[in-house]
Amino acid sequence: MLLTSGQISMTISSCIVFIFTSLLFLSGYVLQQQTVRSLQAAIRPPPPPPPAPISTLSPSPTSPSSAVAKPFGNPPGSRGHTLHYASSSSSLSLNSSTPAGGWARVAYVQLLRRHIHVCNAVMVFAELARQKSPARRVLLYPSVWDRRFAQQEQEEEQQQGEMGPAMETSMRLLRVAARRFDVALVPISPVLGRGEDVLDAAYPVAGLLSLTNFDQLIYFPPSGLLLDPSRLDALFDVQMNSSMLAFPGTTDGGSVIPPVLLVRPSMKAYHESISSFPAATYLEEDYLGNVSKAPPHIAPDTSRLIIETSGLHLQKEAFNSTTFLAGATYVRLSDPEIPGPEYDISREVFLRSRPTEPEPRKAWEELYELYRMRRMDVCGLDLEPVMRDNGHDTELKTRAEAESAENPIDS
């Protein structure tokens, strides 16, 4: 059968339309798949490779409950040892921009004892990861949390009870720290025979001295805001003649606990510290009060940029909040009437706690608001409620103290 010229023209036109429609469909399909893969990668980023092992500490890169407990150490039987700290006149100086043993031998470390401080530690590591600090990141937490979490999970599966919100939130945040911010999770056992019913005594800051897999550590007592870790990295260059150096804030409000602590691990210093603890009582304020303060000449570009909010009350008219915050490196949020920046205090206490001068007050308010925003962005948590008595905040029944009573320490 012979085709007419019109039929031939229509067939050719149809083939051309079919070919181009198919090409258009295929290109759209390819673009769609690329978009879907990009969205999946954004929503569920792949976990980072596990960090190099910390010798005997056995960090867990993904799951808190799979880590191996590392005890802070057994206290020696002898008494009479005394702490030895170098005087402020010791010869200390900054060397090169890279630590002598390399970045694998230095770390930012956070020590957890209470659930309320977990988010603060994760916020610190989030900022370190965001600004790509080359130092290691280590998070120490009580090994009893793993056991209690597994027990509560089992009871929940058997419908014998519900998991406590504090424990569930803490373990979720630990997994976030390991997966998203490349943090080594290290469960630790309490110091044997030392105040098993008191968290600070069971997990003292002196335990950081036993982490001898590192040359130096930087520790931030809770709670605070890390603003520019690149300038704090310079502290790893400090040549230390003592086991610990405290870096007080430039706006020091008289707090005994320093905002930043530089630690040089040593088993000798660790045993001396543990053996010097009082037999019955241990106050961390007393221990940290004896730590040598870093002289200003050690790291002049860093130490003057450490802030404490309680000291903002002492600032006068010449203070400029914008310049002050732009140059800040680390801020410890500590004020006498506020149990912590994690808590939703009453407006009356908030107004009473602010500095009286306009510029320091502006900086103070911005810091507390920034902490609230980061807590929500990083941890997905709002501020914790505080029990009030006739409109006044009371520190006696905050969640941190309630959980201390509910969670005795395993010896």
Side-chain angles (χ1 to χ4, degrees):
M1 178 180 176
L2 297 176
L3 297 177
T4 64
S5 60
Q7 291 173 326
I8 294 173
S9 176
M10 182 176 293
T11 301
I12 294 173
S13 299
S14 299
C15 291
I16 293 174
V17 170
F18 177 77
I19 291 171
F20 279 98
T21 302
S22 300
L23 291 174
L24 183 62
F25 171 79
L26 291 173
S27 62
Y29 177 78
V30 171
L31 289 174
Q32 181 192 51
Q33 293 304 306
Q34 290 178 344
T35 304
V36 169
R37 283 194 293 270
S38 299
L39 288 174
Q40 288 175 339
I43 296 172
R44 288 195 303 248
I54 311 177
S55 186
T56 59
L57 295 189
S58 302
S60 168
T62 54
S63 173
S65 59
S66 64
V68 178
K70 165 68 167 72
F72 265 174
N74 300 330
S78 60
R79 299 286 185 208
H81 294 283
T82 57
L83 290 174
H84 172 72
Y85 296 107
S87 66
S88 59
S89 61
S90 300
S91 176
L92 303 174
S93 61
L94 285 174
N95 292 331
S96 62
S97 59
T98 301
W103 289 107
R105 295 286 299 175
V106 297
Y108 288 95
V109 61
Q110 289 297 100
L111 171 61
L112 294 177
R113 298 126 162 181
R114 298 171 175 84
H115 293 293
I116 190 64
H117 294 144
V118 176
C119 178
N120 182 83
V122 176
M123 287 164 57
V124 168
F125 291 127
E127 193 63 19
L128 288 169
R130 189 182 73 83
Q131 300 205 29
K132 297 180 173 58
S133 171
R136 301 280 297 278
R137 300 160 206 150
V138 180
L139 181 56
L140 311 177
Y141 68 98
S143 59
V144 68
W145 289 8
D146 285 335
R147 296 193 293 274
R148 290 212 173 99
F149 180 71
Q151 179 183 356
Q152 291 180 15
E153 267 192 328
Q154 185 178 7
E155 291 175 353
E156 196 172 38
E157 289 176 359
Q158 297 173 355
Q159 298 182 349
Q160 295 178 353
E162 293 184 359
M163 183 175 297
M167 178 64 73
E168 186 175 14
T169 299
S170 293
M171 302 309 281
R172 173 182 66 83
L173 291 176
L174 290 179
R175 288 192 291 267
V176 167
R179 185 177 64 250
R180 293 179 55 190
F181 307 130
D182 197 20
V183 177
L185 303 179
V186 183
I188 54 176
S189 300
V191 174
L192 300 182
R194 296 283 177 172
E196 285 81 4
D197 57 337
V198 181
L199 293 176
D200 289 354
Y203 305 100
V205 170
L208 300 178
L209 294 170
S210 67
L211 304 182
T212 54
N213 301 284
F214 296 101
D215 294 333
Q216 285 182 327
L217 304 168
I218 290 180
Y219 169 64
F220 306 107
S223 297
L225 281 169
L226 184 58
L227 303 178
D228 186 1
S230 63
R231 285 180 282 188
L232 278 180
D233 286 342
L235 290 182
F236 291 122
D237 291 328
V238 171
Q239 298 297 313
M240 298 178 63
N241 292 334
S242 59
S243 56
M244 287 189 183
L245 281 178
F247 287 81
T250 46
T251 58
D252 190 356
S255 174
V256 176
I257 299 178
V260 178
L261 200 64
L262 185 63
V263 181
R264 185 184 67 178
S266 162
M267 289 308 298
K268 179 178 181 293
Y270 167 73
H271 287 299
E272 289 178 349
S273 298
I274 295 297
S275 64
S276 69
F277 285 176
T281 60
Y282 166 80
L283 292 177
E284 191 144 281
E285 291 83 358
D286 294 342
Y287 176 76
L288 293 178
N290 292 324
V291 174
S292 299
K293 289 183 172 56
H297 67 269
I298 286 184
D301 295 332
T302 302
S303 59
R304 69 167 180 263
L305 303 175
I306 300 170
I307 301 170
E308 195 155 11
T309 53
S310 59
L312 290 172
H313 296 263
L314 307 177
Q315 304 302 312
K316 301 302 179 183
E317 294 80 2
F319 182 88
N320 183 285
S321 61
T322 303
T323 304
F324 183 72
L325 293 176
T329 296
Y330 179 77
V331 184
R332 182 164 183 260
L333 284 78
S334 174
D335 291 275
E337 290 195 63
I338 300 178
E342 302 90 353
Y343 294 104
D344 185 17
I345 59 174
S346 66
R347 181 162 179 79
E348 177 186 352
V349 174
F350 180 83
L351 295 177
R352 192 168 62 239
S353 301
R354 299 182 306 172
T356 55
E357 296 293 332
E359 284 296 305
R361 182 169 66 242
K362 179 182 177 182
W364 189 91
E365 291 176 348
E366 288 184 12
L367 288 170
Y368 271 90
E369 177 61 17
L370 178 59
Y371 189 95
R372 185 193 67 80
M373 293 173 59
R374 280 198 186 176
R375 181 176 164 87
M376 176 59 71
D377 293 342
V378 175
C379 306
L381 297 177
D382 206 343
L383 297 179
E384 293 289 333
V386 178
M387 292 188 65
R388 296 183 173 90
D389 182 15
N390 297 326
H392 298 283
D393 293 349
T394 170
E395 301 179 24
L396 298 179
K397 292 297 182 182
T398 60
R399 193 181 79 176
E401 289 159 339
E403 71 194 11
S404 296
E406 295 172 0
N407 296 310
I409 302 301
D410 293 352
S411 57

